[in-house]
Amino acid sequence: MDTDALSPLLSALRDAVLDGDARGAASATERALGQGVDPQRLVDGALIPAMDEAGRRFENGEFFVPELLVSARALKASQAIVTPLLAQRGGVVARGRVAIGTVKGDMHDIGKNLVVALLQGGGFDVVDLGTDVPPTRFVSAVTNDRVDIVGLSALLTTTMLQMKATLKAMETAGVRGSVKVIVGGAPVTQRFADEIGADGYADNAAAALALARRLMASGA
Ligand code: B12
């Protein structure tokens, strides 16, 4: 489909998310998929730009938390349709096992859910620990779920510090050496990842999948 034909479909989805219109977002998603638009294109061309715009409006005082919430709910109505399609792309052979969650004190999960979908789509077996995950829960995922990689997500500058606390808890429990730890989320940087001693950082879901594959190839 050429870009001209695609853009009204993407705009309709983006606008429905920004209007907090969950039904509209679901039907715009179905309509675009019905016309052959790739699900990843819907994520990159409509869902992520919608959340960026919601964030911009929040910063400018045009949106408050209730507006952010309804936009996030509308986005999730689309994500519920798109995620299984992205996750289906994987092969049947698991490439490795990843436990991933949003760190303690942090409820943001839209980006983490995208990472989950792409990892599943890339053939990884994923244990999704959800949001507000305390360090002890990440530790028990390593001991009980036999994971190769632990993924930590944080969207707040305050909760980023929980990443460091989680790595420390893994060290104290004696399990840090048995897994690779990857980190991400809007405020996280490669520099921060290096500072806290994480094994990898990625700034988007596709890069997170590439990173997880690299780590597995290097013997995670
Ligand atoms: C939606 C949203 C919310 C929703 C969240 C709904 C949900 N279920 O997720 C709600 C309304 C609940 C919310 C609440 C709050 N929010 Co908010 N929120 C946002 C917003 C607009 C979008 C976030 C988002 O979903 N982005 C889209 C996704 C796709 O991007 P992403 O998360 O970065 O993920 C990608 C990458 O980072 C990476 N990635 C993510 N995780 C991981 C993990 C790994 C392992 C890897 C490798 C990669 C990776 O891949 C992802 C996919 O490409 C942002 C602004 C923004 N533009 O970021 C503010 C923002 C994050 N929120 C903010 C704030 C302040 C809050 C509140 C404190 C507001 C309040 N006063 O109550 C609360 C905190 C609640 C809490 N305890 O968590 C601030 C944070 C400021 C800061 N510097 O800390 C922001 C930046 C808004 C702003 N500009 O001020 N929020």
Side-chain angles (χ1 to χ4, degrees):
M1 183 177 289
D2 66 38
T3 322
D4 284 353
L6 185 60
S7 63
L9 294 166
L10 294 179
S11 309
L13 176 54
R14 178 182 168 279
D15 293 349
V17 170
L18 283 168
D19 291 345
D21 176 4
R23 254 191 226 174
S27 64
T29 304
E30 300 281 15
R31 203 162 52 244
L33 291 171
Q35 297 199 27
V37 180
D38 187 88
Q40 186 65 49
R41 187 79 187 88
L42 289 182
V43 171
D44 295 337
L47 299 183
I48 292 181
M51 277 299 109
D52 283 345
E53 175 59 16
R56 195 195 61 75
R57 291 184 190 179
F58 182 70
E59 258 174 71
N60 291 348
E62 296 163 56
F63 265 21
F64 296 94
V65 172
E67 284 88 357
L68 276 189
L69 269 175
V70 286
S71 285
R73 199 185 54 198
L75 182 140
K76 286 190 166 198
S78 169
Q79 212 173 28
I81 301 167
V82 166
T83 301
L85 300 175
L86 294 174
Q88 263 167 29
R89 293 187 168 178
V92 274
V93 184
R95 290 167 191 269
R97 201 166 160 83
V98 183
I100 184 167
T102 306
V103 296
K104 188 171 170 202
D106 200 321
M107 308 308 290
H108 295 87
D109 66 355
I110 292 168
K112 185 265 297 164
N113 293 345
L114 278 175
V115 175
V116 169
L118 282 229
L119 286 173
Q120 287 173 334
F124 280 88
D125 195 4
V126 180
V127 183
D128 186 350
L129 302 173
T131 59
D132 190 20
V133 181
T136 49
R137 181 66 191 94
F138 285 108
V139 170
S140 68
V142 180
T143 42
N144 303 335
D145 297 324
R146 300 170 147 267
V147 296
D148 305 294
I149 298 174
V150 171
L152 309 176
S153 181
L155 263 287
L156 300 171
T157 41
T158 46
T159 57
M160 269 167 84
L161 304 174
Q162 282 297 322
M163 292 180 159
K164 194 173 176 183
T166 303
L167 281 160
K168 183 117 195 7
M170 285 181 182
E171 254 163 45
T172 308
V175 300
R176 174 67 185 96
S178 56
V179 281
K180 299 287 180 191
V181 177
I182 63 174
V183 294
V188 181
T189 58
Q190 181 66 58
R191 191 174 167 177
F192 178 76
D194 293 341
E195 262 168 37
I196 63 171
D199 300 300
Y201 157 79
D203 69 355
N204 64 66
L209 171 59
L211 171 64
R213 285 184 167 156
R214 263 198 320 277
L215 289 172
M216 290 307 293
S218 68

